[in-house]
Amino acid sequence: MYLSFRFSAFVKSGGEMFILGETSVNVSAEDFVEIMEEDAEIRWVTSGEPYSCTVSKPKKESKLRGLKSYIAYQITPSFSNIEVSRRFKHFDWLHERLETKYALIPIPPLPGKQFSGRYEDMFIEHRMIQLQMWVNRICRHPVLGHSDVWKHFITCTDEKMWKTGKRRAERDELVGASYFHAIKAPDAPLDPYQVDTQVENFSKFSAKMDNTVKQMHATAQELCKKYSGSYKREFHKLASSFKELGDTFEMETSPYSTDLTKAIKVTGDTYEEIGDLYGEQPRNDLEPFGDILHEYKGILASFPEIVQIQKGATQKKKEHQKLMEEGKLPQESVMAIARRTDIISYAVLAEITHFQQEQVGEFKNMIQNFLQEQVKFYLQIAEKLQSALDLYDT
């Protein structure tokens, strides 16, 4: 019962049938993906030249004679420079297709749906930035970035061909465990102990990372609300207090208080400006910070099921090796199972390598950008306060 529950992703994905050789599917030459091992590192082989896509020009459009409105985004691949128009629901459809097709690759999450305020300029701009991040991540992936369904999404401009391509993707047989047949892994058998150790270590790391990222994301969201809410209000309240004090001093007709009155009023204006800065600051640092953490939350949440598939395959191989030792199975059957298990393990290790390569650069850039924006923010505040302070020296 425990194993059945633990390896449910293995069974649900069709991994068990693949390991046992109970699945068969035709794979065309262009559908194969390759894994290589070089310098003790297992990784996906990238097919084709690197490229990028830009997401731009969000535009409110409508259909059904204006009864239904939506925002369309223009996507432009660098290899064609031809724009295609896509709605968020198209991204949603694509995400579902990718998740269905690639059982061993975590698909980054899309931005969350929003039902109120979705036509406001600030929301649309932020959504475009989030979609750009998502598109960048897919483009960089050596498998996802060269998949047929993705290429259809970023290149098809004809409405009829778009619908035909969608239907073809929805009828795709190379999904889930069937896609494992399209993986060309190195012939060299993997060391089971090394694989188990590497996968287990990554599993522990990703679980810890998942909790940490969730906590950081929640903290960033909370700070966003405070910056644009309570912090802004408190500085505006302080500004009002100084302005009221200035108005009070203005009632004093003595020439001794003229300069002081002016300085106090400027101090009030300064704190109002600081409050406004707090309200605007999240879009410069906390929002980009939180957007990356949102993607990592989704990616890390996918790894437990991927690891379960690999562990399920390993467990199934061990069960059949025992049957062979008991004389209940021929050696060639167990060798075939071992080979199919290695294919899954190679793919999981290749994906772990890709994740590790991505995360180091991304977290470094994310934290650098956050700190740079924080420094700029507080320098602005310091400069404003210094200017106000200088008035008291006159």
Side-chain angles (χ1 to χ4, degrees):
M1 186 72 173
Y2 172 74
L3 285 178
S4 175
F5 171 77
R6 186 179 180 190
F7 299 132
S8 59
F10 171 59
V11 176
K12 184 177 68 174
S13 69
E16 183 176 41
M17 294 178 66
F18 170 77
I19 289 296
L20 298 178
E22 296 174 357
T23 61
S24 177
V25 61
N26 292 323
V27 183
S28 59
E30 60 269 20
D31 285 326
F32 279 105
V33 292
E34 192 174 350
I35 296 170
M36 67 181 294
E37 183 172 9
E38 188 176 53
D39 299 328
E41 185 176 76
I42 294 169
R43 63 177 184 269
W44 298 107
V45 175
T46 302
S47 61
E49 294 296 319
Y51 67 95
S52 61
C53 290
T54 58
V55 181
S56 62
K57 302 176 187 174
K59 182 182 177 183
K60 186 176 180 181
E61 298 181 357
S62 62
K63 63 180 186 178
L64 301 176
R65 296 183 179 180
L67 293 176
K68 187 172 180 62
S69 298
Y70 56 88
I71 302 298
Y73 300 87
Q74 308 310 308
I75 303 174
T76 311
S78 60
F79 56 76
S80 69
N81 287 322
I82 298 174
E83 289 183 355
V84 297
S85 180
R86 297 289 179 259
R87 297 170 55 183
F88 188 78
K89 77 167 191 175
H90 297 143
F91 281 92
D92 215 20
W93 171 84
L94 173 65
H95 189 275
E96 183 182 355
R97 298 321 311 157
L98 292 174
E99 279 198 322
T100 301
K101 187 173 181 69
Y102 299 106
L104 298 178
I105 298 175
I107 308 303
L110 286 167
K113 292 183 179 179
Q114 182 163 325
F115 298 100
S116 61
R118 55 183 173 162
Y119 299 125
E120 295 176 2
D121 290 344
M122 285 182 61
F123 170 77
I124 293 170
E125 182 184 356
H126 186 206
R127 170 58 56 84
M128 182 180 70
I129 292 170
Q130 291 173 310
L131 291 176
Q132 180 68 69
M133 289 172 56
W134 191 84
V135 165
N136 290 347
R137 193 175 296 280
I138 301 297
C139 288
R140 290 196 306 267
H141 196 282
V143 176
L144 302 179
H146 298 276
S147 64
D148 286 345
V149 66
W150 168 249
K151 288 294 183 71
H152 178 66
F153 179 82
I154 62 174
T155 60
C156 187
T157 56
D158 180 79
E159 182 67 21
K160 186 175 180 181
M161 291 180 65
W162 165 252
K163 291 180 179 178
T164 301
K166 280 184 67 180
R167 287 193 294 269
R168 184 170 59 250
E170 288 160 2
R171 293 195 302 266
D172 188 3
E173 293 183 353
L174 283 177
V175 297
S178 294
Y179 188 76
F180 301 167
H181 290 281
I183 299 173
K184 282 187 175 181
D187 294 329
L190 288 166
D191 182 322
Y193 176 76
Q194 288 184 355
V195 172
D196 288 349
T197 301
Q198 192 171 347
V199 171
E200 185 62 26
N201 288 342
F202 179 78
S203 185
K204 290 177 181 177
F205 161 78
S206 61
K208 173 67 174 173
M209 185 73 163
D210 186 28
N211 289 331
T212 304
V213 165
K214 285 177 181 174
Q215 185 179 9
M216 288 191 75
H217 185 256
T219 301
Q221 285 188 312
E222 185 180 349
L223 275 174
C224 271
K225 292 177 182 177
K226 287 182 177 179
Y227 268 60
S228 57
S230 59
Y231 290 175
K232 179 179 178 179
R233 286 195 301 272
E234 291 305 314
F235 278 105
H236 280 181
K237 283 170 64 176
L238 184 58
S240 296
S241 297
F242 273 107
K243 288 179 180 181
E244 190 171 341
L245 181 62
D247 290 341
T248 302
F249 266 89
E250 201 168 36
M251 295 174 66
E252 171 64 65
T253 58
S254 169
Y256 299 110
S257 62
T258 302
D259 290 340
L260 178 60
T261 300
K262 178 184 176 183
I264 292 172
K265 286 195 167 188
V266 169
T267 301
D269 292 337
T270 297
Y271 276 110
E272 185 166 1
E273 290 170 4
I274 289 173
D276 291 338
L277 285 177
Y278 268 95
E280 296 165 2
Q281 184 60 20
R283 74 179 69 174
N284 299 324
D285 49 29
L286 287 166
E287 281 186 5
F289 191 78
D291 289 341
I292 294 175
L293 293 175
H294 168 76
E295 286 196 332
Y296 269 89
K297 273 176 58 183
I299 292 169
L300 288 162
S302 300
F303 271 114
E305 283 202 357
I306 292 171
V307 169
Q308 284 178 14
I309 293 172
Q310 190 276 334
K311 288 187 175 182
T314 300
Q315 179 64 28
K316 189 61 64 175
K317 181 184 77 171
K318 290 177 180 177
E319 291 172 5
H320 283 72
Q321 284 175 333
K322 185 177 180 182
L323 291 173
M324 181 188 71
E325 292 165 3
E326 295 171 352
K328 297 177 181 178
L329 274 179
Q331 184 179 12
E332 56 268 23
S333 295
V334 178
M335 288 179 65
I337 287 173
R339 173 57 186 166
R340 288 190 286 269
T341 299
D342 275 355
I343 288 173
I344 290 177
S345 294
Y346 267 115
V348 171
L349 293 175
E351 193 54 38
I352 288 174
T353 299
H354 177 73
F355 175 84
Q356 291 170 336
Q357 290 173 337
E358 287 265 296
Q359 70 161 349
V360 171
E362 282 200 302
F363 270 78
K364 178 182 176 181
N365 290 336
M366 176 185 75
I367 297 170
Q368 279 181 327
N369 292 337
F370 178 77
L371 291 175
Q372 286 167 356
E373 291 297 333
Q374 284 275 288
V375 168
K376 284 162 58 177
F377 173 60
Y378 285 110
L379 282 176
Q380 276 186 288
I381 291 175
E383 288 171 4
K384 288 180 179 296
L385 291 174
Q386 185 63 56
S387 296
L389 176 61
D390 290 344
L391 294 175
Y392 291 87
D393 292 333
T394 58

